[in-house]
């Protein structure tokens, strides 16, 4: 069941969303500019000593209404706003009234630009504001400090929000890359499973069919019904096993979950179908599911290659045993081994190597000294599995 989460609040949407990619930016900024204009007007109106005249009201309204275009042209809007505020201050109007508009313009520059540009703009604006207020008769250090503090705070807040949004974007990109990597790994795992399953089953079916055809063609008058029946029964058993495993794989795909993995318990049936010999020496050893699945697939692919390339009359031996902290898997035959062209065209040996590496193990393949071919894998076991057997 999917986890139900609460929708993000308005504050979270403001912090998380890129201001240049927000929906309806002009409409939203028009509403914000109207609110700032009302706030600036209220601050100017309550200052009865320095209440603006008609030109002062016009400059104050213009400095606030310019914020409608603050997202598309943050630096241009900030320069125009500062120009209106400078003219407003020179007329000796209420000095605190245009501060909200200046703060929002500076915040937008800091939230959408680089740190270097933000520092340069901040130094220029603060220096200009302090000089303008001082030349206008405002000599109280507390007023100058308070106004400068608001401007610097807007810049710091803008830089912090910009860095936070950049961090969120990088995290989102990392999560997307991890998701893509996991999808690619899962596709590769499914491709390996299908390759191992289909190659093994089809190879065995082909061999059994060849046996039946050979019996029919060698001496039709003396038909060996028992040999034909055995071959056909083996084909039917292989088809049933392949259908069951294929159904399991497809169920995993539909349910979007891994499902049960093949393990060492399935080796006897697998080896019996290939008419090979099995030595399984893992008593008392807890084999993790991933290691057991890797060992099963390596044996399956090795038997497929042996049946396909070793030639008729070949004996195949499978040994799976725990030794020196690892699960040792060895599949050897005394046949002619795969040809140079057959190993280059398929993915069997490559897939076995990837399966061994997926659990931290190694794989070695090649001709045997006494003839034939051998596949040897060493799959490490966790310490707790070895402790459990002690």
């Amino acid at each position: 069941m999917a986890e139900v989460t609460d929708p993000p609040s308005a504050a979270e949407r403001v912090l998380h969303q890129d201001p240049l990619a927000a929906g309806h930016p002009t409409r939203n900024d028009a509403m914000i500019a109207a609110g700032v204009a009302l706030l600036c007007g209220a601050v100017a109106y309550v200052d009865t000593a320095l209440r603006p005249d008609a030109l002062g009201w016009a400059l104050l309204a213009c400095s606030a209404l310019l914020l409608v275009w603050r997202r598309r042209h943050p630096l241009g809007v900030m320069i125009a706003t500062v120009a209106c505020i400078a003219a407003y201050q020179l007329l000796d109007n209420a000095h605190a009234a245009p501060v909200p508009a200046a703060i929002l313009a500076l915040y937008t520059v800091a939230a959408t630009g680089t740190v270097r540009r933000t520092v340069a703009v901040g130094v220029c604006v603060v220096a200009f504001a302090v000089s303008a207020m001082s030349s206008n008769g405002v000599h109280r250090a507390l007023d100058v400090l308070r106004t400068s503090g608001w401007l610097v705070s807007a810049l710091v807040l803008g830089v912090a929000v910009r860095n936070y949004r950049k961090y969120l974007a990088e995290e989102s990109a990392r999560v997307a890359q991890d998701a893509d990597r996991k999808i690619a790994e899962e596709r590769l795992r499914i491709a390996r499973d299908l390759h191992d399953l289909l190659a093994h089953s089809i190879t065995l079916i082909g061999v059994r069919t060849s046996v039946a055809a050979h019996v029919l063609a060698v001496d039709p008058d003396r038909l060996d019904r028992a040999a034909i029946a055995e071959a056909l029964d083996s084909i039917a058993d292989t088809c049933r096993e392949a259908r069951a495993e294929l159904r399991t794989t497809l169920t995993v795909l539909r349910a979007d979950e891994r499902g049960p993995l093949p393990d060492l318990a399935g080796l006897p049936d697998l080896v019996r179908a290939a008419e090979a010999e099995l030595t399984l020496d893992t008593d008392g050893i807890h084999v993790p599911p991933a290691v057991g699945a890797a060992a099963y697939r390596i044996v399956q692919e090795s038997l497929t290659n042996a049946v396909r390339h070793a030639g008729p009359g070949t004996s195949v031996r499978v040994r799976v045993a725990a030794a020196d902290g690892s699960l040792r898997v060895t599949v050897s035959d005394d046949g002619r081994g795969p040809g140079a062209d057959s190993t280059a065209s398929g993915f069997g040996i490559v897939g076995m190597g990837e399966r061994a590496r997926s659990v931290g193990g190694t794989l070695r393949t090649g001709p045997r000294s006494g003839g034939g071919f051998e596949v040897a894998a060493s799959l490490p076991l966790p310490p707790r599995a070895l402790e459990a057997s002690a």
Side-chain angles (χ1 to χ4, degrees):
M1 180 181 295
E3 182 180 358
V4 178
T5 58
D6 296 332
S9 63
E12 289 176 338
R13 289 196 298 269
V14 170
L15 287 176
H16 293 184
Q17 191 176 43
D18 185 354
L20 301 180
H24 309 290
T26 304
R27 184 191 66 184
N28 294 339
D29 285 337
M31 297 174 61
I32 293 174
V36 172
L38 291 176
L39 178 60
C40 294
V43 174
Y45 186 79
V46 298
D47 191 349
T48 56
L50 297 175
R51 184 175 295 171
D53 54 10
L55 181 57
W57 284 114
L59 291 172
L60 187 62
C62 184
S63 65
L65 295 179
L66 285 171
L67 299 174
V68 174
W69 299 276
R70 68 185 182 93
R71 295 181 201 253
R72 286 181 289 179
H73 309 286
L75 189 58
V77 167
M78 193 274 300
I79 294 174
T81 300
V82 170
C84 291
I85 293 175
Y88 172 88
Q89 294 287 2
L90 290 176
L91 295 175
D92 199 17
N93 294 308
H95 301 293
V99 171
I103 288 176
L104 186 56
L106 282 174
Y107 165 80
T108 305
V109 170
T112 58
T114 63
V115 176
R116 180 180 299 178
R117 189 184 75 175
T118 300
V119 172
V121 170
V123 171
C124 294
V125 171
V126 172
F128 177 80
V130 171
S131 61
M133 293 176 65
S134 300
S135 63
N136 220 9
V138 182
H139 298 294
R140 290 182 298 176
L142 185 60
D143 290 341
V144 176
L145 183 62
R146 180 172 58 244
T147 302
S148 302
W150 280 111
L151 298 178
V152 172
S153 299
L155 292 171
V156 172
L157 178 62
V159 172
V161 170
R162 176 181 176 273
N163 291 336
Y164 180 65
R165 288 170 177 161
K166 183 178 179 181
Y167 166 77
L168 290 180
E170 292 175 351
E171 283 295 304
S172 300
R174 184 185 62 80
V175 170
Q177 290 176 356
D178 289 344
D180 292 341
R181 178 180 56 80
K182 291 180 180 178
I183 291 174
E185 291 176 351
E186 188 66 12
R187 287 176 177 173
L188 181 59
R189 183 189 68 84
I190 294 171
R192 291 172 185 160
D193 288 345
L194 291 178
H195 170 270
D196 295 343
L197 166 65
L198 297 178
H200 179 75
S201 302
I202 292 173
T203 299
L204 291 181
I205 291 172
V207 170
R208 301 304 182 189
T209 305
S210 300
V211 171
H214 177 74
V215 172
L216 289 173
V218 168
D219 194 355
D221 297 332
R222 300 178 61 184
L223 188 63
D224 190 348
R225 298 180 180 274
I228 295 177
E230 182 182 357
L232 294 178
D233 289 341
S234 178
I235 291 174
D237 292 340
T238 302
C239 289
R240 281 192 294 269
E241 293 174 1
R243 184 170 63 250
E245 193 165 353
L246 186 60
R247 185 185 296 114
T248 301
T249 302
L250 295 178
T251 302
V252 170
L253 289 177
R254 293 192 185 101
D256 194 22
E257 56 187 21
R258 293 190 63 90
L261 294 173
D263 54 18
L264 300 183
L267 287 182
D269 293 337
L270 185 67
V271 172
R272 188 181 308 111
E275 297 182 352
E277 301 176 7
L278 173 63
T279 301
L280 187 60
D281 185 12
T282 58
D283 292 340
I285 299 294
H286 171 70
V287 179
V291 176
Y296 180 93
R297 293 304 187 191
I298 290 173
V299 172
Q300 185 181 48
E301 180 60 27
S302 300
L303 293 175
T304 301
N305 291 339
V307 172
R308 180 183 300 169
H309 303 296
T314 301
S315 62
V316 183
R317 291 171 296 278
V318 178
R319 177 177 175 81
V320 179
D324 299 331
S326 299
L327 186 69
R328 303 294 178 88
V329 180
T330 306
V331 182
S332 58
D333 63 73
D334 55 4
R336 62 174 180 263
D341 56 343
S342 61
T343 56
S345 60
F347 297 96
I349 293 180
V350 174
M352 287 190 291
E354 291 175 345
R355 288 190 181 279
R357 288 192 295 271
S358 68
V359 294
T362 58
L363 181 83
R364 179 182 56 82
T365 62
R368 298 174 61 214
S369 58
F373 196 80
E374 183 178 77
V375 175
S378 177
L379 311 178
L381 294 171
R384 61 178 178 274
L386 302 175
E387 293 172 358
S389 63

